[in-house]
Amino acid sequence: MVERTNLDRKVFAKGSQPVVFGDQTTDALAGMVLALLGEVVVLKDRLDANERLLKAAGLHGTADVDVFNPDAEVRAHRGAYRQAIYDRVLGVARDRLLPEALAEQQAYEGEVARVAAD
């Protein structure tokens, strides 16, 4: 059996990010799609491995999985890993687009407040 290492490692790009597609929004969306694709591939590989191992061991089948009702502990565990996935997938847009969008929104609100005060 191969030992897996660096299970807690998270990879984030460092430094300035080049604009590949002409604007930051398109780049951010492309980054999100690629991050999501990576998550789906890993999930598919793990699901395939589990289905093959369970079938080989003569254990449960897909019908059992279909009727599985998770308890509170399982729901909490799933919630935590879903949030981590959301952070990885949506983090590109958050990190690249949100600061700019917030700055624009704050500038707009400041202008509205200035006009309203006149």
Side-chain angles (χ1 to χ4, degrees), residues 61-75:
T62 56
D64 298 311
V65 173
D66 290 341
V67 297
F68 175 70
N69 187 14
D71 61 18
E73 182 180 343
V74 172
R75 288 192 304 272

Side-chain angles (χ1 to χ4, degrees), residues 6 8 13 15 23 26 30 45 49-50 61 67 70 84 89 108 112-113:
N6 298 324
D8 294 328
D23 65 74
T26 305
D45 288 349
N50 278 290
V67 297
V89 172
Y108 172 78
V112 169

Side-chain angles (χ1 to χ4, degrees), residues 55-92:
K55 183 178 180 182
L59 298 174
H60 69 270
T62 56
D64 298 311
V65 173
D66 290 341
V67 297
F68 175 70
N69 187 14
D71 61 18
E73 182 180 343
V74 172
R75 288 192 304 272
H77 175 75
R78 288 178 176 181
Y81 72 68
R82 284 180 183 145
Q83 188 59 51
I85 291 171
Y86 297 153
D87 289 344
R88 283 192 303 276
V89 172
L90 301 176
V92 173

Side-chain angles (χ1 to χ4, degrees), residues 3-17:
E3 180 179 340
R4 296 177 62 200
T5 59
N6 298 324
L7 296 177
D8 294 328
R9 182 176 61 184
K10 302 255 189 310
V11 179
F12 296 100
K14 305 274 191 286
S16 64
Q17 300 296 310

Side-chain angles (χ1 to χ4, degrees), residues 2 13-14 32 36 40 44 70 90:
V2 176
K14 305 274 191 286
M32 288 170 50
L36 183 56
V40 169
K44 178 64 177 161
L90 301 176

